[in-house]
């Protein structure tokens, strides 16, 4: 089954998003968290979430329409897209993407004042601004907004009064654009030196405020600079030089430029530090801009046309010093990046670079001088502003503990969705573990591991353990033990005595996850070296293991029965492992994403995995080979930790983007694990004795103060009751007098009303008669005008009919002339038609896809429209009932008068409607006449254009015919040349075939020579092998000689030792016997046989060696002789080939000349048959003089046949000669290459 999750709450805010905070109404604020958009209600402290990013790439820009109905969200990726959401239904309305851009993100978005258009500013490298009609997904226009240096563009916006006017600012960029006729064009060019503008805001239709990086706020009016305001911070510095401050003082304040104030008070000099203006917003009293670290500058209108605005207040975000654990801890820098003002202009919301949201009450700021009475408050609570590195939950309380690289530890309550307590430290926190009771938290810092007590309003250090850089720690389920990791070593401690009860050694890489078993008897760990170990806690030994070197594991989770272990790592797979068998049972591939975390519920019915793209995957349980899962968007960075609550009702996800997201988890049947009603969360808290005594003293003091206030309030209430009774008596008497006066006035008004009614009736009759006369006069005049216009219309219609007949006749004549041209063009366009049909098919497929999307969009729109209609219907029905009740009350007093007035008003309205209808008909007739005139002009222009087109086509046809004739001439010449070339190619092809046959035979001879060489090589290898065997036998003989020498030395030593018994014969005899037994007994038995075998072996070896040496010498002589013979044959054959090729080339030249002469003579004969012998005589003489033939003399017409016979005889002789030469040519006997067959020849065309 696949579990389902529903987002409950999201803690955090995404930094770096353009326009990251907006007001929907006085209570609702929109801002991004991870890959979601949050609608936060300030009063109810509740959230609604829109899951925006489906790819996990992240949000780059956010915009809300002026009518507060839609939100546009830009997401980065290979093809960035903008999605528009309906904020009432939280559904997707449109998705826009610009495929022609190479940018991977959008840097800014803005809606038009009427919310019908949207502009999107693309990022690097092309910085394209796109103007959209987003309701129809229509691209209206594009514009390249960057400058020649391709600098960054920071913000774009619409003029609040004009849909067609756009402002663009960036680094050295300030452009005003206007949309006109499908394109964007720049106007009102900047006349001053551009700055690095970071933000801007519209003051009015033609005035703009621009904030720059150099601390300038410039006021422009249609491109002209009107005024400039400096934004700076004032700092005091003590001067050591008396009246002048050293210029290097500014360098100690930072890299920003500074300026000194000339006035000096004592030894202090005020230094002004220039700051960036990252955000600016306007309101009715002036404008507000950011400047410096967490500072807002408020400017009010002065009424002076020259200066316009004056800075009145500065408000700074102050850090709460109570949350800094040590005095050395640095406060967080809150640089304000985005501002939003509520519709009532009472509050300002600030989004900072530290991923916090602050609220400033502008009304409070107005009360205090220079902002002294105004303070920033967190919008909801403070968030992490760095990657979250650790997260844990507990059993007894509904809390979650997180730690981050922002050096803070925070405790969150997931039932009421609030931050209970947090503390900032001096060191970065890497890991966190909550005690099951929820009263203690274990935090791993860069220097030490600390156990902290969670008090009622503080987090205090209780114990420090010397473990540096602890990346993982975990309490046991019983809470009596905890485990901490130091690189690759796991240490076990007692929670109450802090005694190190054991060390678990075995990992070679850094340990990345620890999981205790349900009974706390074992710990399962995984590390970056691809090892997963199960440790016995009592014996501190390793019991089970599974190692996979190719995967660096990052997280593991255990099944409820502890049989299976689920692990994820860097190899893009989710593995189910049985450690008892050291076997990977199943692997599920996650595709392109890396799984960073895995978590299984205590019930075993749900499993979740976190990815490197910030998505949460609900995985089917049990695992399948297909790896079925459901994706949910969560974070804009990688998921660093995921956990489930003890009752499996909530899923917690923490990411590198600093956000914490809480989900409600349900299994396939939409059933969460119901918590036992008898078991409730613990309400106990920790408090120190001193704090308790101090609070008790405060309570007693406050009680005494409350009693005093009660007595004082009672006395004051008694005095107020007496004064109120007297005032009530006076007021009652005054009201009675006023009632009497009102009654008399009412009677007088009634009488005046009756008189006015009679007068009004008389006036109404007179007005009706007057209006009737005027209406009759208007009808008469309008009838006359209509008749005149109708006559004109008839005349124009007749003229139009006549022109139509003329045009039809002319068009008929033109159609006949065009038929010939169209016939030529039909074939040309037929090919194009086929291409267009293919394109049309593709477009139809796209249209089907678009139609499907359109149907889905239409369905959603219809649903939204039906819902809105129902709401309007209910509202108006309520209003109608209320109005009916009011009307029933009023009918009794003014019924008759109302009927008369209403009847007269209806008559007047009917007359006015008739007049307006007649005027509309007149205007309609005029428009019809104008349209007919325009149609006539258009037809004339069309006829003129078609005449020009026909002339161009006829001219083109004439040119094509002329070109066709020239091409036919070229074709005839080329055909003739092709035939000649074919006749010349035939003998060459025959020669090529003969030479190929010759090459084939030579290759056969070469192969035979190669085989001989291979046989010789094999013989040489055999001799070398025999030589190696002989060498080996020689080494053996040398080893035997060495052994005999060693034995002789031993014999000499024994013999020398025997000389000691030279005076004792018996002992001497025994020693000699021992030596005989040791050295000579075995030798006597085998020496004779060995000697005979050795003699035969040496004789055979000498004989074989002499035979082989003789064979080698004879083979070498034979090889040298054969080589010399082959070389001589090759030289001789090469020389003969050169001579023969030269003769062949000479014969070919003669043959070519003869063929040319024969061809010329045959051509002359053909001409002679047609034109007579005189012309032949003349042409034959010309050919003879050109070719310079010798020995033929002057040819008469009667000698033509004899000349042809002589040429044929000569050709046959030459062919026989070539054939004889080919037959008598000997083939070469070696594999050497021959010179080229074809010599350079000249070809006569």
């Amino acid at each position: 089954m696949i579990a389902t999750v529903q987002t409950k709450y999201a803690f955090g805010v995404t930094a770096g998003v353009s326009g990251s905070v907006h007001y929907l109404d006085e209570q609702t604020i929109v801002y991004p968290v991870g890959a979601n958009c949050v609608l936060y209600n300030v009063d109810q402290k509740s959230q609604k979430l829109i899951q925006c990013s489906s790819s996990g790439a992240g949000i780059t820009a956010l915009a809300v329409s002026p009518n507060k109905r839609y939100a546009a969200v830009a997401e980065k990726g290979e093809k960035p897209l903008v999605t528009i959401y309906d904020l009432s239904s939280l559904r997707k309305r449109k998705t826009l993407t610009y495929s022609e851009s190479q940018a991977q993100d959008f840097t800014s978005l803005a809606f038009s004042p009427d919310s019908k258009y949207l502009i999107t500013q693309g990022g690097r490298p092309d910085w394209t601004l796109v103007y959209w009609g987003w309701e129809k997904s229509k691209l209206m226009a594009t514009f390249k907004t960057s400058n020649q240096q391709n600098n960054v563009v920071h913000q774009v916006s619409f003029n609040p009064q004009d849909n067609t006017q756009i402002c663009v600012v960036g680094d050295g960029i300030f452009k005003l654009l206007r949309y006109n006729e499908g394109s964007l064009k720049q106007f009102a060019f900047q006349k001053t030196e551009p700055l690095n503008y970071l933000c801007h805001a519209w003051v009015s239709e033609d005035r703009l405020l621009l904030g720059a990086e150099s601390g300038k706020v410039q006021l422009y009016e249609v491109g002209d600079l009107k005024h400039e305001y400096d934004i700076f911070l004032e700092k005091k510095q003590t001067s050591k030089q008396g009246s002048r401050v050293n210029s290097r003082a500014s360098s100690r304040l930072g890299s920003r430029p500074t300026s000194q104030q000339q006035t000096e008070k004592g030894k202090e000099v005020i230094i002004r530090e220039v700051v960036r203006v990252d955000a600016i917003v306007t309101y009715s009293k002036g404008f507000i801009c950011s400047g410096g670290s967490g500072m807002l500058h408020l400017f009010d209108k002065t009424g002076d046309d020259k200066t316009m605005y004056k800075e009145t207040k500065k408000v700074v975000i102050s850090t709460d010093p109570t949350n800094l654990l040590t005095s050395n801890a640095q406060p967080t820098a809150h640089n304000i990046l985005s501002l939003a003002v509520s519709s009532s202009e009472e509050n300002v919301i600030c989004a900072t670079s530290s991923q916090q949201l602050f609220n400033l009450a502008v009304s409070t700021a107005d009360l205090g001088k220079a902002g002294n009475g105004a303070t920033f408050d967190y919008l909801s609570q403070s968030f992490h502003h760095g990657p979250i590195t650790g997260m844990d939950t507990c059993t007894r309380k509904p809390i979650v503990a997180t730690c981050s690289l922002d050096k803070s530890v925070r405790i969150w309550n997931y039932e009421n969705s609030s931050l209970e307590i947090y503390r900032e430290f001096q060191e970065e926190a890497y890991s966190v573990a909550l005690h099951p009771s929820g009263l203690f938290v274990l935090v791993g810092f860069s220097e030490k591991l600390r156990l902290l007590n969670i008090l009622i309003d503080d987090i205090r250090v209780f114990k420090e353990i010397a473990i540096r850089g602890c990346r993982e720690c975990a309490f046991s389920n019983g809470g009596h033990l905890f485990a901490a990791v130091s690189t690759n070593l796991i240490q076990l401690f007692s929670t109450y005595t802090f005694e190190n009860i054991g060390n678990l050694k075995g990992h070679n890489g850094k340990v990345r996850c620890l999981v205790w078993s349900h009974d706390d008897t074992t710990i399962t760990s995984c590390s970056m070296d691809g090892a997963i170990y199960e440790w016995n806690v009592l014996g501190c030994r390793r019991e089970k293991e599974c190692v996979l070197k190719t995967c660096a594991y990052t997280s593991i989770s255990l099944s409820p029965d502890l049989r299976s272990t689920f692990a994820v790592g860097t190899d893009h797979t989710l593995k189910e492992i049985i450690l008892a068998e050291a076997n990977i049972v199943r692997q599920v591939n996650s595709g392109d994403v890396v799984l960073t975390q895995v978590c299984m519920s205590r019930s075993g019915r749900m499993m979740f995995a976190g990815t490197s793209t910030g998505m949460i995957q609900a995985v089917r349980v049990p695992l399948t080979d297909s790896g079925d899962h459901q994706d949910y968007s969560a974070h804009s960075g990688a998921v660093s930790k995921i956990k489930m609550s003890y009752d499996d009702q909530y899923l917690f996800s923490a990411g590198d983007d600093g956000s914490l997201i809480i989900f409600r988890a349900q299994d396939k049947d939409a059933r969460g694990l119901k918590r036992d009603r008898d078991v409730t969360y613990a309400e106990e808290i920790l408090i120190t004795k001193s704090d308790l005594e101090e609070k008790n003293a405060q309570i007693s003091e406050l009680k005494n103060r409350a009693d005093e206030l009660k007595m004082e309030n009672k006395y004051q209430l008694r005095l107020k009751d007496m004064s109120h009774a007297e005032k009530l008596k006076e007021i009652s008497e005054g009201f009675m007098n006023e009632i009497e006066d009102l009654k008399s006035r009412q009677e007088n008004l009634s009488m005046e009303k009756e008189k006015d009614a009679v007068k009004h009736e008389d006036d109404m009759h007179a007005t009706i008669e007057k209006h009737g006369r005027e209406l009759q006069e208007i009808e008469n005049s309008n009838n006359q005008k209509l008749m005149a216009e109708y006559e004109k219309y008839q005349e124009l219609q007749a003229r139009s009919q006549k022109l139509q007949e003329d045009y039809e006749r002319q068009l008929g004549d033109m159609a006949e002339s065009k038929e010939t041209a169209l016939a030529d063009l039909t074939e040309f366009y037929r090919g194009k038609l086929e291409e267009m049909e293919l394109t049309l098919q593709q477009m139809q497929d796209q249209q089907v896809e678009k139609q499907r999307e359109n149907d889905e969009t239409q369905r959603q729109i219809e649903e939204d429209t039906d819902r809105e209609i129902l709401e309007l219907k209910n509202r108006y029905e309520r209003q109608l009932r209320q109005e009916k009740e009011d009307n029933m009350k009023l009918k009794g007093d003014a019924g008759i008068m109302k009927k008369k007035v209403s009847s007269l008003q209806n008559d007047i309205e009917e007359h006015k409607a008739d007049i307006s209808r007649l005027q509309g008909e007149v205007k309609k007739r005029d428009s019809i006449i104008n349209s007919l005139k325009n149609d006539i002009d258009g037809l004339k222009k069309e006829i003129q254009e078609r005449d020009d087109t026909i002339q161009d086509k006829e001219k083109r046809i004439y040119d094509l015919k002329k070109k066709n004739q020239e091409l036919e001439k070229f074709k005839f010449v080329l055909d003739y040349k092709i035939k000649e070339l074919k006749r010349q190619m035939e003998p060459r092809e025959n020669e090529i075939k003969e030479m190929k046959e010759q090459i084939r035979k030579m290759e056969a001879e070469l192969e035979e020579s190669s085989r001989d060489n291979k046989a010789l090589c094999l013989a040489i290898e055999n001799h070398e092998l025999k030589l190696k065997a002989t060498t080996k036998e020689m080494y053996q003989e040398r080893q035997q000689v060495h052994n005999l020498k060693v034995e002789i030395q031993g014999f000499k030593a024994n013999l020398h030792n025997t000389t000691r018994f030279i005076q004792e014969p018996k002992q001497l005899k025994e020693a000699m016997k021992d030596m005989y037994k040791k050295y000579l007994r075995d030798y006597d038995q085998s020496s004779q046989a060995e000697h005979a075998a050795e003699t035969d072996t040496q004789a055979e070896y000498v004989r074989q060696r002499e035979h082989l040496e003789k064979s080698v010498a004879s083979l070498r002589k034979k090889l040298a002789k054969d080589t010399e013979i082959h070389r001589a044959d090759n030289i001789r054959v090469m020389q003969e080939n050169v001579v023969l090729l030269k003769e062949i080339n000479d014969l070919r030249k003669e043959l070519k000349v003869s063929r040319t002469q024969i061809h010329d003579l045959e051509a002359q004969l053909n001409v002679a048959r047609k034109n007579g012998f005189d012309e032949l005589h003349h042409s034959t003489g010309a050919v003879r003089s050109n070719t310079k033939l010798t020995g033929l003399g002057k040819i008469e017409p009667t000698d033509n046949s004899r000349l042809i016979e002589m040429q044929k005889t000569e050709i046959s002789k030459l062919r026989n000669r070539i054939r004889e030469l080919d037959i008598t040519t000997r083939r070469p006997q070696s594999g050497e290459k021959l010179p080229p067959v074809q010599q350079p020849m000249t070809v006569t065309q």
Side-chain angles (χ1 to χ4, degrees), residues 85 142 162 166 203 344 346-347 354 371 376 504 508 517 555 594 735 818 1020 1049 1101 1230 1232:
Y85 295 91
T142 60
D162 189 356
I166 298 170
V203 178
S344 63
E346 293 183 356
N347 297 293
S354 59
F376 280 95
L504 307 180
N508 295 324
S517 62
S555 178
V594 177
F735 281 157
K818 286 182 181 178
I1020 292 170
Q1049 290 177 359
Y1101 171 73
S1230 69
E1232 295 184 5

Side-chain angles (χ1 to χ4, degrees), residues 290-555:
S290 65
S293 178
M295 179 173 285
L296 279 185
H297 301 258
L298 280 72
F299 286 77
D300 289 347
K301 294 179 180 179
T302 60
D304 186 2
D305 294 337
K306 186 176 181 180
T307 58
M308 295 290 294
Y309 298 98
K310 181 181 179 181
E311 185 176 2
T312 57
K313 307 170 190 64
K314 293 181 181 178
V315 188
V316 183
I317 298 175
S318 60
T319 305
D320 187 3
T322 60
N323 285 319
L324 298 177
L325 187 63
T326 62
S327 59
N328 295 328
Q330 296 295 327
T332 305
H334 302 285
N335 295 323
I336 298 173
L337 302 179
S338 182
L339 295 171
V341 180
S342 63
S343 57
S344 63
E345 298 183 352
E346 293 183 356
N347 297 293
V348 176
I349 300 297
C350 308
T352 67
S353 60
S354 59
Q355 297 178 243
Q356 306 295 330
L357 293 176
F358 291 97
N359 180 33
L360 172 66
V362 180
S363 58
T364 307
D366 292 338
L367 295 175
K369 185 178 180 181
N372 295 332
T375 57
F376 280 95
D377 298 322
Y378 285 108
L379 181 64
S380 55
Q381 54 263 330
S382 66
F383 307 125
H384 283 296
H385 56 87
I388 297 177
T389 55
M391 180 176 64
D392 197 14
T393 62
C394 67
T395 307
R396 296 293 306 281
K397 289 188 176 183
I399 58 175
V400 179
T402 58
C403 65
S404 171
L405 296 182
D406 61 3
K407 305 178 183 179
S408 70
V409 176
R410 299 171 191 264
I411 308 298
W412 313 85
N413 190 309
Y414 57 81
E415 280 213 330
N416 55 21
S417 302
S418 63
L419 175 64
E420 289 206 343
I421 190 171
Y422 78 98
R423 172 68 77 180
E424 294 182 0
F425 296 85
Q426 191 178 1
E427 305 171 30
E428 293 179 346
Y430 296 137
S431 60
V432 67
L434 263 179
H435 193 269
S437 64
L439 300 177
F440 314 104
V441 61
L442 189 68
V443 183
F445 293 95
S446 57
E447 294 295 331
K448 292 182 179 180
L449 177 69
R450 294 184 174 93
L451 180 69
L452 310 175
N453 288 335
I454 304 175
L455 304 180
I456 186 172
D457 56 357
D458 195 6
I459 300 176
R460 295 185 184 177
V461 178
F462 180 74
K463 179 67 176 179
E464 292 184 346
I465 302 172
I467 298 178
R468 294 172 59 87
C470 178
R471 296 282 179 175
E472 288 293 331
C473 59
F475 278 103
S476 63
N477 293 308
H480 59 292
L481 299 174
F482 66 85
V485 173
S486 177
T487 312
N488 57 357
L489 176 65
I490 303 173
Q491 301 183 31
L492 301 178
F493 294 90
S494 172
T495 305
Y496 306 109
T497 63
F498 302 102
E499 178 185 357
N500 185 1
I501 63 173
N503 296 325
L504 307 180
K505 299 179 181 179
H507 284 289
N508 295 324
K510 295 180 180 180
V511 178
R512 281 291 174 260
C513 188
L514 294 174
V515 180
W516 288 82
S517 62
H518 302 318
D519 54 1
D520 294 337
T521 58
T522 61
I523 291 179
T524 305
S525 62
C526 69
S527 63
M528 299 295 289
D529 60 353
I532 298 177
Y533 297 148
E534 183 179 305
W535 309 86
N536 185 296
V537 176
L538 297 178
C540 295
R541 64 180 182 275
R542 188 170 65 202
E543 291 185 341
K544 302 173 185 178
E545 65 179 21
C546 181
V547 181
L548 182 63
K549 297 290 187 181
T550 58
C551 177
Y553 290 112
T554 56
S555 178

Side-chain angles (χ1 to χ4, degrees), residues 23 187 302 356 381 490 592 617 688 719 739 947 985 1031:
Y23 264 103
F187 72 98
T302 60
Q356 306 295 330
Q381 54 263 330
I490 303 173
D592 297 334
Q617 293 185 356
T688 62
L719 293 177
I739 288 169
D947 290 338
M985 287 171 60
T1031 305

Side-chain angles (χ1 to χ4, degrees), residues 53 85 183 189 257 280 310 422 577 591 617 619 682 832 959 985 1053 1128 1181 1224:
S53 178
Y85 295 91
S183 64
F189 292 87
I280 189 169
K310 181 181 179 181
Y422 78 98
I577 304 171
Q617 293 185 356
V619 185
K832 285 191 174 182
D959 295 337
M985 287 171 60
T1224 57

